[in-house]
Amino acid sequence: LRKFAQQGASEGRHELLAFLSGSSSYAPASGEIVGILKQMSDEMLADYNSATEAEESAIKVFEELMAAKKKEKQLASEAIEKKTARIAELGIALAEKANDLEDTQEALAADKQFIANMEETCQKKKEEWEERCKLRAEELQALAETIKILNDDDALDLFKSTLPSP
């Protein structure tokens, strides 16, 4: 570049030499732009860091929420399984109780029929017993009268007269 400046045109030569030597006659306008760009870079970096922290925090909260929801889902599934099993057990117990009720009702009906038959049978037996007792009393009376007749003196005389004497 120096070589170009030494050989180059005289107009641009002074400006170029001033720029290269750091002379104050040339004031760059890019310093203000660089400052603005630096400030924008700092703001963007701060916004980026803030957004990254917020995102990391949101990810952590999301992961915690998902873990809690998974646990809640697992507990709910276990509760559903337990309740389903309980419903099945209660259904079986209810069916057994219904069968027991039906059997008991049938047994009750049979027992009522047995009692009705037993009352009828007992009544018949009672009547038969009363008839038997009455008949026996009559037979005993007849036997007593017969014995009385046989023990009477007239009967003895009659027996003696019917039997040949020896």
Side-chain angles (χ1 to χ4, degrees):
L1 267 169
R2 281 184 191 256
K3 195 175 188 181
F4 174 76
Q6 289 171 358
Q7 292 175 356
S10 64
E11 292 176 17
R13 183 172 180 202
H14 292 297
E15 287 179 14
L16 183 61
L17 283 175
F19 174 74
L20 290 176
S21 65
S23 152
S24 62
S25 66
Y26 175 74
S30 65
E32 190 177 313
I33 293 173
V34 170
I36 292 172
L37 290 176
K38 174 80 170 139
Q39 182 182 3
M40 287 175 62
S41 173
D42 292 342
E43 288 175 2
M44 287 180 164
L45 185 59
D47 289 345
Y48 172 76
N49 288 337
S50 174
T52 303
E53 288 175 11
E55 185 65 22
E56 287 174 356
S57 175
I59 289 171
K60 183 179 177 183
V61 168
F62 175 77
E63 288 174 352
E64 290 173 356
L65 177 67
M66 287 305 294
K69 289 296 181 179
K70 284 181 182 179
K71 186 174 182 178
E72 184 178 323
K73 179 184 173 188
Q74 180 184 5
L75 292 174
S77 296
E78 290 173 1
I80 288 171
E81 289 175 11
K82 286 180 183 177
K83 288 180 181 180
T84 303
R86 178 80 174 135
I87 288 171
E89 291 172 2
L90 291 175
I92 291 170
L94 180 63
E96 288 174 354
K97 298 296 181 192
N99 288 339
D100 289 346
L101 177 63
E102 185 178 319
D103 293 345
T104 304
Q105 287 175 339
E106 290 174 2
L108 178 63
D111 290 346
K112 284 182 178 180
Q113 180 65 35
F114 177 75
I115 288 173
N117 290 341
M118 184 61 75
E119 287 175 354
E120 185 179 314
T121 303
C122 286
Q123 185 63 32
K124 285 181 184 177
K125 294 290 182 180
K126 184 178 179 182
E127 290 172 4
E128 289 174 4
W129 180 254
E130 288 175 1
E131 183 67 30
R132 186 180 289 160
C133 287
K134 182 180 174 186
L135 186 60
R136 184 173 178 137
E138 289 175 3
E139 288 175 351
L140 288 174
Q141 173 111 18
L143 283 174
E145 287 177 16
T146 304
I147 291 173
K148 184 179 175 189
I149 291 174
L150 290 175
N151 284 337
D152 193 6
D153 288 334
D154 292 335
L156 184 58
D157 290 338
L158 183 64
F159 278 130
K160 284 184 184 178
S161 66
T162 56
L163 287 174
S165 353

